[in-house]
Each structure stands twice: as structure tokens, then as C-alpha cells.
Amino acid sequence: MTRLALEGVLLFVPTPHHDERGFFTRTFDAALAAEHGLDPAAFIQDSQSRSRRGTIRGMHGRSGRGEAKLVRCARGAVLDVLVDARPGSPTFGHHLTVLLDDETFAHLYVPPGLLHGYQALTEADVCYRIDREHDPSEDLAVRYDDPDLALPWPLPVGAISGRDLSAGSWAGLCDRLGT
């Protein structure tokens, strides 16, 4: 387990076992999660998305209590992007990127209060383990290409949803958060 530059963000990298059949890896270990301060029982929903190369999903977050999640790439590779949107955080407005792929099987723990998105570097399946039911009234979104954030997307944009294209600005979110 590695602690990353944004407070509370953790990266878990399992040890896959390879042989002539392929591989086996553990995708979640409740005891290991608890050892690093996470409540394994808090994760109540698992979701999966499949994206074509170049697709961007994000930048999404939740208001209120926020939403914690464990994110992993089960097939292919994505550049995962986080932006700290927690007022009062010493890293408020900072971002970090993490490569998630089907070779390292790394799991990214995203604490509440962060914006999250990714770009598919290949066709990719991304799995999310989430700690809250979805409440659309709490959805937050900032455009992936907001100039104030200047996020480092490595590929030309492939597909992106209409919802993500109509997302607000970082400045607008900051106003909404009272920062």
C-alpha cells in the first residue's frame, strides 16, 4: 500500500500469481483494507464500465458526505485523474494521475470530496466499489478540459458523454463550495 500526494488517497497493488494457465489475483482483501483504516463493510455497491480508447469519463464528485470508492482497471489501461475538491484541504485544487491497468492490478482508494475521472488508454473495463447509494441530487461535475485545472489527458478525446460536455467550471464549483 502506498499513500499518494492527496490526503487520504491510497494505492493498493496486489501480487498476481502467473502460471501457464494465465494468472490469479485477489481483487479485494477486507483485512488489508481494515489494516489501512478502511471499513470493508462500508462498500455497498460494485459497478463496472467499459470504454473505448480515448474515451474520457469525468470529472465527477458528490456533495454532502461525498462518496468513497475503490477503483481498478480489470481489462486494459486507463489514466485515472483525481482533483481535491475538499474546502480547507491543504491540497485543494491540486490533481494527481495514476495509471491503472490489468498488469499491476492496482486499486486506487478515492476518499470523499475528490473529483474523479479517467481516460481509456486502450479499450478498458473499470470497476468501482462504492460506499454510498447514488443520489443524483448530490452529483458534482467539472468539465474535463477546464482551463483552471489544466488536466493532463494523454490522448485526443475519443468519446465523451453529453452530461460531461455540459459540466460546469472549476470556478463555478469553487463558488458553490464557498471557497
Side-chain angles (χ1 to χ4, degrees):
M1 191 283 306
T2 303
R3 294 185 185 281
L4 299 182
L6 300 180
E7 184 179 336
V9 177
L10 306 174
L11 188 66
F12 295 89
V13 182
T15 303
H17 302 281
H18 295 270
D19 65 21
E20 66 279 354
R21 300 169 294 171
F23 72 87
F24 171 87
T25 192
R26 184 167 294 150
T27 61
F28 183 72
D29 185 321
L32 184 62
E35 181 181 321
H36 294 287
L38 305 182
D39 176 5
F43 295 100
I44 62 168
Q45 177 185 322
D46 281 3
S47 300
Q48 180 172 338
S49 66
R50 176 165 292 159
S51 300
R52 293 188 309 272
R53 183 178 189 272
T55 295
I56 291 178
R57 294 183 185 259
M59 297 297 295
H60 306 142
R62 298 271 300 274
S63 63
R65 294 181 318 176
E67 169 183 88
K69 56 186 137 187
L70 280 170
V71 182
R72 68 182 176 91
C73 185
R75 182 173 67 101
V78 301
L79 182 71
D80 204 277
V81 181
L82 302 177
V83 175
D84 191 341
R86 299 172 290 190
S89 168
T91 54
F92 180 79
H94 295 207
H95 72 270
L96 67 79
T97 62
V98 178
L99 176 67
L100 299 177
D101 62 29
D102 61 5
E103 293 181 25
T104 65
F105 305 102
H107 292 61
L108 183 63
Y109 174 70
V110 181
L114 298 177
L115 297 177
H116 173 256
Y118 65 84
Q119 184 172 41
L121 304 176
T122 65
E123 183 170 287
D125 287 8
V126 175
C127 300
Y128 312 78
R129 182 163 277 188
I130 303 167
D131 75 341
R132 293 188 54 209
E133 292 180 10
H134 182 243
D135 179 351
S137 71
E138 294 182 335
D139 286 351
L140 300 174
V142 172
R143 269 187 67 103
Y144 73 97
D145 61 353
D146 185 279
D148 290 332
L149 293 177
L151 300 173
W153 304 110
L155 300 176
V157 177
I160 190 163
S161 73
R163 175 180 159 228
D164 288 347
L165 284 173
S166 65
S169 68
W170 174 249
L173 179 61
C174 289
D175 287 345
R176 181 175 172 184
L177 297 173
T179 61

